[in-house]
Amino acid sequence: FKKPINLKALPKPLKQFILISTIFALANFSYMFYILKVQEHLGDSAVEISIMLYVIFNISYAIFSIPFGILSDKIGKGKVIILGYLIFLFTALGFVLFSSLKAFFVLFVLYGITYAIVNTNQRAYVSDLSPSEIKATALGVFHTAIGLAALPSSLMAGFLWKISPNLTFIYGGVIGLISCILMVMMLRDNKP
């Protein structure tokens, strides 16, 4: 039997990235808050429009996953993840500042692009940062950390929503900005 892997032995850049992605997961609350925001502003036709916007989100996610994967191969996954965090920041703030159907259409496309960048590249980056003998363990730690952050993320979003729906998206934008800054610092500190 192999002896168990000591999580303290994970490489420093990997631990830093898992921490940053977990912080970002605290802002990545349920898509239902985006749907609720649409319904709050569009009245009677909101249900049909919400479904259409959710479909647009999924189409955007599907269309942009491959191009952003190719881009990450060219310029580096870390830089593309920073772009994803920035787009998330602008998307969250867009839900604070705009409330027209056209704006929601653009924001759901951006939300899909964020997912296309972040979901695929974060996992790939964890693999890149992991020694080959512990890739599966590293991915397990990563998914556990962001999974554990999902519950408090939506609880915080719901708490803030009761105060003001805009606070939910301001919270998301602030955490997106913090994640972006931490990623920039991590890449700078771990330059070869």
Side-chain angles (χ1 to χ4, degrees):
F1 293 102
K2 289 185 176 182
K3 66 179 185 179
I5 293 172
N6 180 357
L7 295 181
K8 290 179 183 176
L10 293 175
K12 183 182 172 189
L14 176 60
K15 288 192 274 192
Q16 289 173 328
F17 180 66
I18 290 173
L19 175 63
I20 293 166
S21 56
T22 303
I23 291 169
F24 178 73
L26 290 171
N28 203 4
F29 41 78
S30 170
Y31 71 89
M32 284 307 300
F33 288 99
Y34 297 90
I35 299 292
L36 286 171
K37 183 74 170 179
V38 170
Q39 291 177 351
E40 179 185 70
H41 286 283
L42 298 181
D44 293 339
S45 59
V47 174
E48 295 85 2
I49 291 170
S50 297
I51 293 168
M52 179 190 72
L53 290 170
Y54 185 64
V55 169
I56 287 167
F57 158 76
N58 280 293
I59 290 170
S60 300
Y61 177 31
I63 288 172
F64 288 102
S65 290
I66 292 174
F68 280 106
I70 292 167
L71 181 64
S72 72
D73 290 338
K74 289 182 180 177
I75 68 169
K77 291 174 185 68
K79 291 176 183 172
V80 173
I81 290 167
I82 290 169
L83 176 63
Y85 291 170
L86 273 175
I87 293 172
F88 180 83
L89 161 65
F90 292 125
T91 303
L93 294 181
F95 275 91
V96 173
L97 299 172
F98 305 106
S99 57
S100 70
L101 180 56
K102 286 180 184 177
F104 286 139
F105 177 86
V106 171
L107 291 170
F108 270 81
V109 169
L110 290 174
Y111 187 42
I113 291 170
T114 297
Y115 259 72
I117 294 172
V118 173
N119 277 10
T120 53
N121 281 293
Q122 282 189 151
R123 284 191 297 267
Y125 198 46
V126 168
S127 289
D128 287 355
L129 294 172
S130 306
S132 59
E133 66 275 9
I134 60 165
K135 278 190 195 299
T137 300
L139 283 165
V141 171
F142 166 74
H143 284 291
T144 300
I146 63 171
L148 289 173
L151 179 62
S153 167
S154 289
L155 286 174
M156 179 59 81
F159 172 76
L160 293 170
W161 184 275
K162 287 182 180 180
I163 299 168
S164 166
N166 283 343
L167 281 179
T168 298
F169 298 100
I170 291 169
Y171 162 75
V174 167
I175 298 293
L177 177 62
I178 290 168
S179 303
C180 187
I181 291 167
L182 291 173
M183 263 311 279
V184 169
M185 291 169 60
M186 180 196 145
L187 291 182
R188 186 196 63 207
D189 292 346
N190 293 297
K191 274 189 177 175

